[in-house]
Amino acid sequence: MTTTTTGPETTRPSAEPRAVRRVGDRVFSGTALAAGIIILVTLAAVAVFLIVQSIPAFKADTSNNHILEGQSFISWVWPFVFGTLYASAIALIVAAPLAIGIALFISHYAPRKIAGVLGYIIDLLAAVPSVVFGLWGALTFAPMLVPFYKWLNTNLGWIPIFGGTPSGTGKTILTASLVLAVMILPIMTAICREVFLQTPKLHEEAALALGATRWEMIRMAVLPFAHSGMVSGAMLGLGRALGETMAVTLVLSPLGIVTFNLLNPENPTTIPAIIALRFPEAHDEGVNTLIAAGLILFIVTFAVNFVARWIVSRRAEFSGAN
């Protein structure tokens, strides 16, 4: 007599229960999606408006255009593109080391009470209107820099950017760049400070336990982790410098020239400044020309942000979000 045995019964795993989405979750996700769509639609609408309104500025015949005065749009706008990039680059070169140094002092060196007060002071600079910075730069800061410019011209005049005749009023491209550096300093400092504070404490403590000094710990643990955050802060500051209007308008005169000299009274100006100065008197195709200049600024700013995102994505492993 043989007996047959049956194997253990196989049970089919039951499907995992789906999480029940609450009303608040649906409202929040819908609101976030709508906000993202609105941003994209707004950006597309701005781009379409700029492109459509800029078409008349690219006509071959510009004899009736009181802004271009017979020259082509590219030859007219190129000095202002140069001035925008030149002033913003100088501002970024000046502000980036200061912002990183201040952020490191607040996050890793200063006592907590002093760090808190200093952080509030830096954040308050972001609340100062740009026209106030412009008035300060034109009426107070520029005259203060005149002796310094004369010293630079006397001792370093053999360098082309410091040659020529220094301005007697101090209203130069270097003054405008320094004002822009002060304006972009708060946002860059705030971002760098928050990213530095997000560095894992275990990384810092491990470096210190191995005998590293505080600076060596910062160089090996904090700065690599905060690399993408520092780049993001710098690009946000550069974006504000590229689009700043009133501060540059009050400091510089609207000259469409291309020169690298930092001390001469004749200086290149920026696209936002020339738009603000010429728009009240613009009419007919002149308005389209200024809108076309705004389109160029839009493209430049978009390219800067695209490059920044590319740099950040290359070092995503050090991102504070990760």
Side-chain angles (χ1 to χ4, degrees):
M1 183 176 180
T2 61
T3 59
T4 59
T5 60
T6 60
E9 296 183 358
T10 58
T11 59
R12 188 176 183 179
S14 59
E16 296 182 359
R18 296 182 60 184
V20 179
R21 296 186 64 188
R22 300 178 181 178
V23 176
D25 296 333
R26 291 195 294 269
V27 171
F28 178 78
S29 61
T31 304
L33 178 62
I37 294 175
I38 290 174
I39 292 175
L40 293 177
V41 171
T42 303
L43 183 64
V46 170
V48 170
F49 167 79
L50 291 175
I51 293 173
V52 172
Q53 293 294 323
S54 300
I55 293 176
F58 293 93
K59 291 170 50 178
D61 183 11
T62 59
S63 57
N64 295 326
N65 193 320
H66 66 284
I67 298 291
L68 298 181
E69 298 178 349
Q71 59 182 327
S72 66
F73 173 76
I74 299 300
S75 61
W76 174 82
V77 79
W78 158 241
F80 305 119
V81 175
F82 169 80
T84 303
L85 296 175
Y86 193 39
S88 301
I90 296 173
L92 184 63
I93 292 172
V94 173
L98 289 176
I100 295 174
I102 295 172
L104 283 175
F105 178 76
I106 294 174
S107 60
H108 287 83
Y109 285 94
R112 289 299 90 192
K113 291 183 179 180
I114 298 178
V117 174
L118 186 58
Y120 287 134
I121 294 175
I122 294 297
D123 292 339
L124 282 176
L125 285 176
V128 179
S130 60
V131 66
V132 175
F133 279 112
L135 291 172
W136 168 74
L139 301 179
T140 303
F141 192 48
M144 289 173 54
L145 291 174
V146 172
F148 176 64
Y149 289 166
K150 292 181 179 179
W151 181 89
L152 283 178
N153 181 257
T154 302
N155 296 275
L156 300 176
W158 52 274
I159 302 177
I161 59 175
F162 299 130
T165 303
S167 172
T169 61
K171 295 182 178 182
T172 67
I173 189 70
L174 181 56
T175 303
S177 301
L178 294 177
V179 173
L180 289 177
V182 175
M183 296 180 66
I184 67 178
L185 190 63
I187 184 171
M188 294 175 60
T189 303
I191 293 177
C192 291
R193 179 189 63 205
E194 295 304 319
V195 175
F196 292 157
L197 290 174
Q198 290 180 10
T199 306
K201 294 299 180 184
L202 291 177
H203 294 185
E204 298 180 1
E205 294 173 357
L208 294 174
L210 292 174
T213 62
R214 182 173 296 187
W215 165 243
E216 290 173 338
M217 177 271 293
I218 291 174
R219 183 168 54 86
M220 293 186 298
V222 177
L223 295 182
F225 176 83
H227 178 270
S228 60
M230 291 189 294
V231 173
S232 299
M235 291 302 104
L236 284 175
L238 179 60
R240 181 178 182 185
L242 288 170
E244 180 52 45
T245 303
M246 291 308 301
V248 180
T249 303
L250 293 171
V251 173
L252 289 179
S253 57
L255 294 178
I257 62 174
V258 176
T259 175
F260 286 94
N261 192 284
L262 299 175
L263 307 181
N264 283 1
E266 297 180 351
N267 299 274
T269 191
T270 63
I271 292 178
I274 196 64
I275 293 175
L277 289 169
R278 301 296 297 272
F279 198 84
E281 63 183 22
H283 56 84
D284 300 332
E285 291 184 359
V287 176
N288 301 107
T289 301
L290 297 179
I291 294 177
L295 174 63
I296 300 300
L297 181 62
F298 179 84
I299 295 173
V300 170
T301 307
F302 183 84
V304 167
N305 283 276
F306 179 82
V307 172
R309 293 302 306 172
W310 176 72
I311 295 174
V312 171
S313 64
R314 291 182 60 198
R315 300 294 297 269
E317 66 271 17
F318 294 123
S319 172
N322 292 332

